[in-house]
Amino acid sequence: MKRKFLSLLFISFFIIHTIISTLFTPVFALNLNLFEEKTPSGIPFNKMEKVIDEYVSKYIGKTTPGAAIAIVKNGEIVFLKGYGYADLENQIPVDPKLTVFEWASTSKLFTWTSVMQLVESGKLDLDADIKTYLLPEFAEKLNYNQTITMRDIMNHSAGFGNYAFNTIVLSPDKLVSLEEALLRDKPKQYYKVGTASAYSNYSTSLAGYIVQNISQQPFEAYIRENIFNVLSMNNTSSHPTLGDNSKIIEKKAQGYIPSQKGGFKLGNWSYVSHLPAGSINGTAEDFARYAIALTPDFREKSPLFKDTNTLITMLSPSYDINGEMVGTSHGFFEYVGNYRTLGHGGNTAAFSSQFAVVPEERFGIVILTNAYLEMNILFGLQDLLLGKDYSDIKVPNEELPSSKKVTGRYIPVDRQEGNFVAFTEYFNLYTVKATDQNTIMMNIGPYNGTYLQTKPYYYELIDDNIPFFRNMYHVIRFKIENDAVKHVFVGNGVDLSPLPTGRTMPFLISSLIILLVNILFFIIAPAVLIITIIKDKNKGFHQGNKRFNLYFLVLVLLGLVTLTNNLIPTYKIMISSFRTFAEMKPHILLNFPLLIATITVAVLSFISVRKASISRGFKALYLISIVLLISLFSLLFHWNYFFVVG
């Protein structure tokens, strides 16, 4: 009897231990029947962990120090696992339940969710002028000319170009209020509203500000009350400094920047004044709860909405050009897959994230990493779990237009307009080349994707050398007018356009040549002049020569200073996109006195040259310097180095 009792006790203990271990191990499946399921790409659940482990192990320690991955299916978290380190220096491993990551632009999905909650309650109309929801004095300060609706904002089609500064700062003392950020960091509204999809952090911030105005509470408070608390996302915060949930700060991962020599260097945490665009910090487990809320059973309501139709509407196509949907659903981006897939990605100064759901399959994935611009795990793993086989993409029997008609160089519509950063963007263009009658290759720097034409001017991706193309550029459509490409529709905020008038390749090449010649000349000329001045002094030339030589020397030194003054901010923005305009403003403002000083000295030197006794060669050198200075300042004007934009 005693032995039976002990045996029963041992068996009970073993069962309880097994249950507890199952619940609290990093990887778990709460419903054993799910192992009969497959991922949308066809991987059986009983092999899923092995497949994920094998794939992720190729990149942990190489493209990112750590990662947290969550997978949901049928309303349950079926996979939750951490890889690598949250803190390399202290060898702290990633815990998917506790390690806090920056969610970056995947935060935008919560902004769109809050917008749809207000639409459901009748407080917001997606097709009304957004000025309806802004105080008149604030709306007047925004100073944009075209009418914008919330639907335009959610489609990233509100007419705004990009704005390079202040979106992310690297110190909390540089944060400002959401209202101040919107009035300070205004991008140029340069294209017609509704005609293109151009990714806009600014527009998303504006949407969040409208949520704040309508709800009469700070945006981060609205998100916490109406989303985080509803979904029991207790290890998450959208506050710029995590001030509303400070306990999670001690669990936040360190962020890193991959080194070109291998390894990682410690990066900065990011602070976001435009918090609706990318301020959320949280765990993979918490983010998985949001994925579950977006994929309820068709007989159930999402806890985020009172009406099932609201969720259906939010996840339905909203960006429709010429009757053909092109990739955006009320702020959610469409990804390629065997089933319709929706989500978003994001990057901060030292973190990267990817989120996607497949509503039809009630499936979702969360991938969080603590490295800047990690793409292999984010895009590659998503494609592994959700993607489709390209082999079924075929050329139809009908005759299609020659692919040579779409060849050329293109630039994103979300480019910088109205500030000097545009100069750097125009030297990193997208190139499309025809490889045969129905096939093209699109290159972005060293990366490329191969596309097959399946309908007139409609190309589907069939191969690439980085998973980025599968997630962002899986289908591209060329709009043809007068036998030339007018626009390239992609959706997902990444539409492209041909090079605009005044910035075609001949002009871009000319700009680069002018810049290089100026650099070469104004580095060499000061040394030549100093030597000449010393020789003239030894030869005892008259005062006219001395005066001219002095003006000429000052003139070329002004050219050198002007070049240096503008190359510094250009270099800074090229090596790091996370800059404040306050860093750049002194350089822009300095251009004005430099221009005035250059004109003044040029006039004085022109007057004095007539009284000097100089050789024809030296006079030619002087005239060349005048021509180059004129070309340099013209170039600076054209590329907006004189425009104070913030």
Side-chain angles (χ1 to χ4, degrees):
M1 186 74 170
K2 187 175 181 182
R3 289 181 65 185
K4 286 184 179 180
F5 174 78
L6 290 173
S7 297
L8 182 63
L9 185 64
F10 175 80
I11 292 170
S12 299
F13 174 80
F14 177 78
I15 292 171
I16 292 170
H17 178 267
T18 301
I19 292 171
I20 291 174
S21 298
T22 301
L23 288 174
F24 290 96
T25 189
V27 184
F28 56 88
L30 300 180
N31 184 347
L32 295 179
N33 291 328
L34 287 172
F35 284 112
E36 299 175 4
E37 299 275 1
K38 294 182 178 180
T39 70
S41 63
I43 300 170
F45 270 30
N46 60 1
K47 297 181 179 178
M48 184 172 64
E49 181 182 356
K50 181 182 178 183
V51 170
I52 293 173
D53 285 352
E54 288 178 352
Y55 184 84
V56 173
S57 65
K58 293 186 291 186
Y59 300 105
I60 290 295
K62 297 175 183 176
T63 62
T64 181
I69 299 167
I71 297 174
V72 305
K73 173 69 176 177
N74 294 343
E76 299 179 14
I77 300 175
V78 297
F79 182 92
L80 185 64
K81 192 169 184 179
Y83 298 86
Y85 292 102
D87 185 331
L88 280 174
E89 289 72 23
N90 296 299
Q91 295 288 283
I92 299 173
V94 171
D95 185 327
K97 291 187 173 187
L98 297 176
T99 303
V100 172
F101 292 81
E102 293 175 3
W103 293 3
S105 285
T106 54
S107 305
K108 289 179 172 68
L109 301 181
F110 294 81
T111 301
W112 309 136
T113 300
S114 64
V115 165
M116 293 306 296
Q117 288 177 338
L118 295 177
V119 169
E120 182 181 70
S121 65
K123 297 177 181 178
L124 179 60
D125 183 345
L126 291 181
D127 297 308
D129 185 341
I130 63 166
K131 289 182 179 178
T132 305
Y133 308 105
L134 300 172
L135 293 175
E137 54 268 29
F138 178 83
E140 186 177 343
K141 291 177 183 176
L142 288 180
N143 192 31
Y144 55 78
N145 298 321
Q146 302 179 67
T147 298
I148 300 172
T149 68
M150 184 61 74
R151 193 182 303 277
D152 294 323
I153 287 176
M154 298 174 91
N155 289 336
H156 293 276
S157 61
F160 295 117
N162 207 340
Y163 185 82
F165 312 108
N166 304 321
T167 303
I168 287 175
V169 294
L170 304 180
S171 173
D173 59 7
K174 294 181 180 178
L175 287 167
V176 298
S177 70
L178 177 56
E179 180 174 339
E180 185 178 346
L182 286 167
L183 293 176
R184 178 193 62 184
D185 305 329
K186 293 180 290 186
K188 185 175 181 179
Q189 190 186 40
Y190 81 95
Y191 68 89
K192 186 178 179 181
V193 172
T195 61
S197 182
Y199 193 73
S200 175
N201 287 305
Y202 184 84
S203 291
T204 311
S205 291
L206 199 52
Y209 185 70
I210 289 170
V211 170
Q212 183 170 286
N213 281 359
I214 293 174
S215 66
Q216 294 295 297
Q217 59 185 139
F219 177 79
E220 63 271 24
Y222 179 92
I223 294 291
R224 171 153 298 284
E225 180 181 329
N226 294 280
I227 300 180
F228 296 163
N229 290 348
V230 171
L231 301 181
S232 298
M233 296 171 65
N234 300 320
N235 292 310
T236 303
S237 171
S238 65
H239 190 279
T241 62
L242 314 186
D244 64 339
N245 196 7
S246 56
K247 68 176 184 179
I248 70 173
I249 294 178
E250 64 183 33
K251 297 296 183 181
K252 183 170 178 177
Q254 294 295 337
Y256 295 89
I257 301 170
S259 172
Q260 293 181 347
K261 298 179 181 179
F264 303 90
K265 60 180 180 179
L266 187 64
N268 294 85
W269 285 353
S270 296
Y271 301 91
V272 185
S273 296
H274 290 269
L275 55 112
S279 67
I280 296 180
N281 286 248
T283 64
E285 183 181 40
D286 271 12
F287 211 165
R289 298 181 196 279
Y290 178 68
I292 290 171
L294 296 182
T295 54
D297 185 273
F298 71 94
R299 293 162 295 187
E300 302 173 351
K301 290 190 299 185
S302 167
L304 295 170
F305 302 109
K306 297 176 182 178
D307 187 342
T308 56
N309 289 323
T310 306
L311 177 60
I312 292 171
T313 298
M314 183 171 73
L315 300 182
S316 65
S318 59
Y319 178 52
D320 192 5
I321 301 294
N322 299 328
E324 187 173 24
M325 190 279 296
V326 280
T328 307
S329 299
H330 298 89
F332 286 72
F333 294 154
E334 286 211 339
Y335 297 123
V336 67
N338 288 324
Y339 302 89
R340 187 165 180 265
T341 302
L342 300 156
H344 211 289
N347 289 281
T348 57
F351 290 82
S352 305
S353 60
Q354 189 68 27
F355 173 90
V357 291
V358 184
E360 182 181 347
E361 289 288 286
R362 299 190 64 204
F363 187 90
I365 62 171
V366 173
I367 308 170
L368 305 175
T369 71
N370 56 337
Y372 175 60
L373 282 182
E374 204 292 324
M375 290 191 286
N376 291 284
I377 293 178
L378 297 187
F379 297 146
L381 184 59
Q382 175 170 301
D383 186 64
L384 188 67
L385 298 173
L386 307 179
K388 69 176 183 179
D389 185 358
Y390 294 127
S391 63
D392 61 346
I393 301 175
K394 306 292 184 184
V395 179
N397 293 328
E398 64 179 297
E399 185 177 348
L400 298 172
S402 171
S403 291
K404 290 181 179 179
K405 288 189 176 182
V406 302
T407 60
R409 291 180 173 87
Y410 301 92
I411 188 164
V413 181
D414 73 331
R415 59 185 175 266
Q416 305 287 332
E417 288 289 339
N419 68 75
F420 72 87
V421 183
F423 183 73
T424 63
E425 291 188 336
Y426 274 89
F427 290 96
N428 189 28
L429 301 173
Y430 291 48
T431 303
V432 173
K433 297 178 181 179
T435 55
D436 63 32
Q437 171 69 19
N438 290 310
T439 309
I440 60 172
M441 178 178 284
M442 184 165 76
N443 292 81
I444 310 171
Y447 308 120
N448 62 73
T450 301
Y451 295 80
L452 186 65
Q453 185 177 202
T454 56
K455 291 187 289 187
Y457 305 115
Y458 180 101
Y459 289 81
E460 296 185 59
L461 184 73
I462 57 172
D463 194 18
D464 58 29
N465 68 351
I466 190 169
F468 169 75
F469 284 90
R470 288 167 241 177
N471 286 268
M472 299 303 293
Y473 293 93
H474 55 280
V475 173
I476 52 180
R477 305 157 174 86
F478 294 88
K479 180 181 180 180
I480 306 294
E481 287 185 4
N482 300 322
D483 212 34
V485 177
K486 180 72 173 179
H487 191 85
V488 184
F489 293 113
V490 185
N492 293 355
V494 291
D495 280 9
L496 305 172
S497 74
L499 301 183
T501 304
R503 289 184 176 174
T504 56
M505 284 308 299
F507 178 81
L508 296 177
I509 294 170
S510 299
S511 295
L512 189 58
I513 291 172
I514 289 171
L515 177 62
L516 293 175
V517 170
N518 270 277
I519 291 173
L520 188 62
F521 181 86
F522 287 110
I523 287 175
I524 296 173
V528 172
L529 279 171
I530 290 171
I531 293 171
T532 302
I533 289 171
I534 293 172
K535 286 182 178 179
D536 280 1
K537 185 178 180 181
N538 293 336
K539 292 178 181 179
F541 277 157
H542 56 76
Q543 191 66 28
N545 271 47
K546 293 178 181 178
R547 186 177 291 111
F548 170 73
N549 287 344
L550 177 60
Y551 288 145
F552 193 4
L553 177 60
V554 172
L555 198 62
V556 295
L557 288 175
L558 283 169
L560 180 60
V561 172
T562 300
L563 268 172
T564 305
N565 180 59
N566 290 282
L567 288 174
I568 288 172
T570 304
Y571 175 74
K572 284 183 177 179
I573 206 72
M574 287 176 69
I575 63 171
S576 174
S577 56
F578 304 109
R579 300 287 183 180
T580 65
F581 188 71
E583 294 178 68
M584 309 298 171
K585 195 171 183 177
H587 297 282
I588 303 300
L589 293 177
L590 183 57
N591 281 333
F592 292 95
L594 283 172
L595 175 60
I596 294 170
T598 300
I599 293 172
T600 302
V601 176
V603 170
L604 293 172
S605 65
F606 187 75
I607 293 171
S608 64
V609 72
R610 292 179 295 179
K611 300 179 182 179
S613 176
I614 58 176
S615 67
R616 288 183 179 181
F618 199 61
K619 187 176 288 187
L621 188 66
Y622 167 68
L623 293 175
I624 289 171
S625 70
I626 295 293
V627 171
L628 287 178
L629 283 167
I630 292 171
S631 70
L632 174 60
F633 280 103
S634 298
L635 194 68
L636 294 175
F637 268 110
H638 182 84
W639 288 107
N640 301 308
Y641 281 83
F642 278 83
F643 290 84
V644 180
V645 292

